[in-house]
Amino acid sequence: MSTNQRYTGLIEKYRNRLPVSETTRLISLGEGNTPLIQLNNIPRLTGKHVEIYVKYEGLNPTGSFKDRGMTMAVTKAVEAGSQAIICASTGNTSAAAAAYAVRAGIKAFVLIPEGKIALGKLAQTLMYGAQIIQINGNFDAGMALVKEIADHAPVTIVNSINPFRLEGQKTAAFEIVDELGRAPDYHCLPVGNAGNISAYWKGYKEYSSESHGFAPVVGNRPVMCGYQAAGAAPFIDGAMVDNPETVATAIRIGHPQSWDLAWIAQKESGGWFDKCTDEQILAAQKMLSEHEGVFCEPASAASLAGALRDISSGKIPEGSLIVCTLTGNGLKDPDIAIKQCIATHPVTIEATLDAVKKAILDNM
Ligand code: F0G
């Protein structure tokens, strides 16, 4: 394979749509270019005629969609001469920030809510060697501190309030349109801090605008559907939530920073916000694994949980092409996965041929 065919990350791929120049040093781990998997079995289970695809962002280098934003944010931080980055995080942003900081040779500080981030995310962030600062408070408290500290220390904020994050993340919409040859009718995704729904909408709008020269003929822009966890649902409650709670720790957020942008996405696209209970989220996570072989983390499954409910009620009509973003890899949160499967825990037997044979025949 010649070098110009090798995939080297989303900035290189979409560089004419991103704020980089010929001389910008790109900080990349080959992120983006994630699979858009068509679901084979779940649509049949709904009893409705719908096409559902999942954009499996768990296959990014650190296992979540955050890598798309982080390659851009860290590239621009380095270009501006920054020696250190900082973020508050429910886990995935911290893992991505840590990895891209290493790649760039700069320092990463991450503020995480103590005891409230999934084990895999903690392991990653530790391994990448970031300076972890655990706080006795939730993500929103960490976010407030990060916004203040930037005036007191030479650190660049790489949360999604950094506009370069959304620039990177909008490329997921480009990839979907490139692959389908059109935009989906409905785009469903989990909403926490609300950066991602805002970024997708930006991407779809940019790609469909005539000034870019190749508006898709059908399916110009999707209806954006944002789903929150019931215990952390400020967009549905219509007001900030001070003590958000959900099993989907990635979206345990009550004061979303991209509040205005996300409302614009909802209004301009004719979309909606809705909430899913923890039970619905976990059921959708299990369903995806069990029926499609796709393992995502709990927060990610909110997109499918919401979509399935809206397909069932007819709010998303038959004949629709739907894309659900699966924001993070299921391996990030082994605790919740194992707890969910406790009823089907492994059988333990003697290490003999007879016992193995019996275990197979008993379970056929
Ligand atoms: N899904 C996952 C797996 C996430 O990690 C996040 C956000 C979201 C969905 C929500 O995306 O915030 O753009 O609306 N995680 C952030 C973090 C807050 O710190 O990792 P959003």
Side-chain angles (χ1 to χ4, degrees), residues 36 51 173-186 204 207 214-222 319-323:
L36 185 65
E51 249 180 272
F174 299 166
E175 289 178 12
I176 290 166
V177 175
D178 283 346
E179 200 163 333
L180 295 175
R182 53 165 288 183
D185 297 313
Y186 294 85
Y204 281 123
Y207 233 38
F214 57 103
V217 181
V218 275
N220 205 325
R221 296 174 185 184
S320 297
L321 192 163
I322 302 145
V323 172

Side-chain angles (χ1 to χ4, degrees), residues 87-169:
C87 65
S89 181
T90 56
N92 281 325
T93 302
S94 64
Y100 285 82
V102 171
R103 194 74 173 162
I106 62 173
K107 179 102 190 154
F109 295 93
V110 306
L111 266 70
I112 55 173
E114 206 218 333
K116 292 291 183 184
I117 82 166
L119 204 60
K121 303 173 189 180
L122 184 61
Q124 290 178 285
T125 311
L126 287 165
M127 284 298 282
Y128 295 133
Q131 179 60 58
I132 297 181
I133 304 166
Q134 303 204 78
I135 59 165
N136 293 318
N138 61 23
F139 169 84
D140 300 308
M143 192 65 240
L145 288 165
V146 163
K147 282 160 78 174
E148 271 186 64
I149 198 69
D151 291 336
H152 300 273
V155 288
T156 303
I157 300 178
V158 293
N159 281 104
S160 54
I161 56 171
N162 177 329
F164 298 122
R165 278 277 311 278
L166 301 198
E167 287 297 310
Q169 285 172 216

Side-chain angles (χ1 to χ4, degrees), residues 65-66 88-94 121 139 169 190-197 250-251 253 297 299-300 327-328:
F65 73 98
K66 303 289 181 179
S89 181
T90 56
N92 281 325
T93 302
S94 64
K121 303 173 189 180
F139 169 84
Q169 285 172 216
V191 173
N193 214 19
N196 211 26
I197 192 169
I251 50 172
I253 295 171
E297 66 171 284
S300 309
T327 45

